[in-house]
Amino acid sequence: MSAVPLKAVTLTHVRYRKGDQLGHFLGWVSLVPVFISLGGFVSHFIFRRELQGIFFGIGLIISQFINELIKKNVQQARPETCALLEMCDSHGWPSSHSQYMFFFAVYFSLLNCKGIGPWGIKNRWFMNVLHWSLAVLTMYSRVYLGYHTVAQVFAGAALGILVGAAWFWVVNSVLFCYFPAIEESALGRYFYLKDTSHIPDVLKFEYDNARAARNKACKTN
């Protein structure tokens, strides 16, 4: 009986040179897209049900689908280090990690520019610096760790910016007018889907209303 070749699940499988502290750090940075997807968007849907956030997540899925479609058609190999990383059976152009993070960064920035989000105006500059820094670090990590060439990560970044900006326009110029209908639909009411993009500071709005409801409950009791 011939041995069947094994393939690893590479969702969180990142290799770096033993003893390389920078490589260790960048290995964790390389996992940021996984943390955003599982920790960010899944928890967002469970606890907030914001339509802007839901369509943000849908856009990232579409972006990744486009990435896989291009990879299958172009079929550009990864750098020679792929043998050590056990990644030579997958294609490298464009980098999906770079595309994901730059889609996320440009979409997040456009939301901030439009004043949409749960954070206040004072914190928006910090959020912009944070996610663009993570995008650049993720792009750098993929080259440093040997998963991609420089051209592959820049192609992913450019495609992420392009798709992210295009999807933002689609959501906020075409689909936005359907948000009230989605909120009032049977599905929207069942899952408590909502749009708070018209509220300047959602966190303060929720905080003030939660305190008012508590004070009202205390007076009633």
Side-chain angles (χ1 to χ4, degrees), residues 30-141:
S30 188
L31 295 176
V32 168
V34 179
F35 300 146
I36 291 174
S37 297
L38 300 181
F41 285 101
V42 172
S43 61
H44 179 279
F45 179 77
I46 293 172
F47 295 108
R48 298 203 61 83
R49 320 289 175 89
E50 291 276 359
L51 288 172
Q52 283 284 355
I54 292 170
F55 279 96
F56 192 168
I58 292 172
L60 281 167
I61 294 171
I62 293 171
S63 177
Q64 292 304 104
F65 176 78
I66 292 172
N67 179 274
E68 289 299 321
L69 192 64
I70 294 173
K71 278 183 176 178
K72 287 181 180 179
N73 283 277
V74 176
Q75 297 187 1
Q76 185 180 102
R78 292 178 184 270
E80 294 179 358
T81 48
C82 67
L84 293 173
L85 301 169
E86 299 178 355
M87 292 291 291
C88 291
D89 58 341
S90 62
H91 306 300
W93 194 95
S95 165
S96 59
H97 281 71
S98 289
Q99 184 173 329
Y100 184 104
M101 288 305 299
F102 277 85
F103 179 107
F104 184 87
V106 73
Y107 200 100
F108 213 121
S109 294
L110 290 171
L111 284 175
N112 278 342
C113 289
K114 200 168 181 178
I116 300 172
W119 44 88
I121 296 174
K122 295 179 181 179
N123 298 322
R124 283 174 187 158
W125 69 270
F126 170 75
M127 298 302 296
N128 280 335
V129 170
L130 177 64
H131 57 245
W132 280 105
S133 298
L134 286 173
V136 172
L137 273 174
T138 302
M139 181 173 68
Y140 176 71
S141 75

